[in-house]
Amino acid sequence: MKILLILYDAGSHAADEPKLLGCTENELGIRSWLESQGHTLVTTSSKEGADSVLDKEIVDADVVITTPFHPGYITRERIAKAKNLKICVTAGVGSDHVDLAAANERNIAVLEVTGSNVTSVAEHVVMTMLVLVRNFVPANEQVRGGGWDVAGVAKDSYDIEGKVIGTVGVGRIGKRVLQRLKPFDPKELLYYDYQPLSAADEKEIGARRVEKLEDMLAQCDVVTINCPLHESTKGLFNKELLSHMKKGAWLVNTARGAICVKEDVAAALKSGQLRGYGGDVWFPQPAPADHPWRKMVNKYGAGNAMTPHMSGTSLDAQARYAAGVKQILDEFFSGREQYRPQDIICYGGNYGTKAYGDDKKVVDKK
């Protein structure tokens, strides 16, 4: 079979660190294994436009593998010309780069490696909160530039202790974020999700569910987005919803960039409605050079804690999702197709056991 693998180029970094599996040079560590079974592997980072390698090679590919970090967007148009395509695999978590309706119409399976990123993303969320709330980025830039103005950075620096923190979505990642925040002794931990945590989990974490999203946002000093991207959450954080947040709150997004309206977030930061915005997800990815989130700041010249999409691709996470991809491919090639239920997004022309993104729980904004 022909396998098309779309990853990012790492250049010299790949040679420096062989554990950097999610790049074109190291190819998830699966080339030798695939070729030993007689399969053909085509690996590329070229994914944009009709002349891209993705567009040329998908025509006769049986399998497409990509990551959420440098996604090859498997659109309806690409699926239409991929006459041999049988399975799309996400090396990581989040398959919103695939047109799932078109995949189901063609009986193309879509799978991902659920759980491979949860620890990594949860840690990144907490780190981003601390970076924003403690005003770390401007302070670091100050000393790296030779300066020393404590007041200049302390005037926008706070503690997490005593703050109200809420998560939009309390699935695998959202729950772990709350668990990791508890030792910081926040004033209250809140969550919004259509499905509540168990009573035991609520008691252990000390979390309280809020029935209406706007009501939770109005109470929070810090909000973290941990819900999947789908039609109900695309553009969820727009100007209207941001207006319900406590003035001067911080917002962290490691879910998907398209959940937020980029212009509205930038405007909210400039106006002071948001004190800070941070995360690692953009739309599209890679983000264009003129994306407003690259340079937006608050009135103090701070409040931006953006990184490239890296939260779910630590070296530890890469080892997990590379192993998961190999396991999925082994099931597919063998004909057993005994996939882990939690990995199935689409199968047999139907949606699998979970919805899009990191979790089977879906936030309903109604």
Side-chain angles (χ1 to χ4, degrees):
M1 291 190 180
K2 177 177 174 179
I3 297 92
L4 177 57
L5 180 59
I6 303 104
L7 301 171
Y8 58 82
D9 296 324
S12 61
H13 305 302
D16 294 341
E17 180 48 76
K19 295 178 182 177
L20 197 66
L21 296 174
C23 60
T24 56
E25 294 83 357
N26 294 333
E27 301 176 307
L28 301 179
I30 58 175
R31 176 173 287 279
S32 296
W33 175 71
L34 289 172
E35 291 180 342
S36 71
Q37 300 180 64
H39 303 299
T40 299
L41 178 64
V42 177
T43 303
T44 185
S45 63
S46 172
K47 65 188 184 73
E48 304 296 341
D51 293 328
S52 67
V53 175
L54 189 162
D55 274 275
K56 293 176 180 178
E57 297 290 345
I58 199 172
V59 175
D60 60 348
D62 298 280
V63 180
V64 172
I65 307 169
T66 187
T67 71
F69 317 108
H70 184 82
Y73 292 98
I74 311 304
T75 61
R76 177 174 289 274
E77 292 73 22
R78 283 172 167 165
I79 287 174
K81 65 182 181 181
K83 302 304 182 183
N84 296 340
L85 188 58
K86 302 172 183 67
I87 183 171
C88 296
V89 182
T90 300
V93 177
S95 296
D96 47 89
H97 55 274
V98 180
D99 188 317
L100 300 181
N104 275 333
E105 290 168 16
R106 278 275 310 279
N107 199 22
I108 296 169
V110 181
L111 291 99
E112 59 187 45
V113 188
T114 294
S116 60
N117 70 338
V118 290
T119 296
S120 309
V121 176
E123 289 183 359
H124 195 99
V125 170
V126 176
M127 176 193 73
T128 305
M129 285 185 187
L130 286 167
V131 165
L132 282 173
V133 174
R134 298 309 302 263
N135 202 30
F136 176 85
V137 173
N140 181 255
E141 290 175 344
Q142 183 190 104
V143 296
R144 286 168 61 85
W148 191 276
D149 180 8
V150 174
V153 287
K155 68 182 181 183
D156 200 28
S157 178
Y158 296 81
D159 297 335
I160 282 184
E161 181 178 341
K163 301 296 186 292
V164 178
I165 305 175
T167 175
V168 181
V170 71
R172 293 178 178 87
I173 292 173
K175 177 182 174 182
R176 283 168 174 79
V177 169
L178 296 181
Q179 289 172 326
R180 283 157 175 75
L181 288 171
K182 184 179 179 181
F184 286 92
D185 197 20
K187 180 178 181 181
E188 194 169 17
L189 293 172
L190 307 178
Y191 71 92
Y192 171 80
D193 203 313
Y194 87 98
Q195 182 174 324
L197 291 168
S198 69
D201 281 340
E202 283 193 348
K203 182 177 180 181
E204 177 191 350
I205 298 170
R208 177 170 65 87
R209 182 186 181 212
V210 181
E211 295 280 346
K212 188 177 179 182
L213 177 57
E214 290 83 355
D215 291 344
M216 188 192 80
L217 297 179
Q219 300 176 60
C220 290
D221 301 293
V222 187
V223 175
T224 169
I225 302 172
N226 298 291
C227 62
L229 174 66
H230 51 81
E231 286 306 312
S232 291
T233 59
K234 185 176 182 180
L236 175 65
F237 276 79
N238 56 20
K239 181 179 180 180
E240 195 279 330
L241 188 65
L242 290 167
S243 72
H244 290 275
M245 293 183 67
K246 183 185 291 188
K247 187 174 178 63
W250 296 272
L251 180 61
V252 175
N253 180 13
T254 56
R256 284 294 181 268
I259 293 173
C260 295
V261 177
K262 60 181 184 293
E263 297 86 359
D264 293 354
V265 167
L269 193 60
K270 184 177 181 180
S271 72
Q273 178 62 21
L274 287 179
R275 185 176 292 274
Y277 180 86
D280 71 323
V281 286
W282 311 68
F283 183 79
Q285 292 185 170
D290 61 352
H291 196 292
W293 292 355
R294 287 184 180 269
K295 296 181 179 180
M296 63 181 182
V297 292
N298 64 19
K299 65 180 180 180
Y300 298 117
N304 186 337
M306 294 301 297
T307 68
H309 194 174
M310 61 178 287
S311 64
T313 192
S314 65
L315 294 182
D316 296 309
Q318 289 184 46
R320 291 189 291 267
Y321 66 66
V325 167
K326 186 175 181 180
Q327 180 180 347
I328 289 169
L329 292 178
D330 185 55
E331 290 293 332
F332 173 67
F333 294 142
S334 70
R336 296 186 303 265
E337 299 191 23
Q338 297 298 308
Y339 305 117
R340 298 192 309 165
Q342 63 266 39
D343 291 347
I344 300 171
I345 306 300
C346 296
Y347 186 79
N350 296 295
Y351 292 108
T353 57
K354 65 176 187 170
Y356 322 80
D358 86 294
D359 209 313
K360 64 177 111 177
K361 296 181 180 179
V362 179
V363 172
D364 185 347
K365 68 178 179 179
K366 294 180 181 177

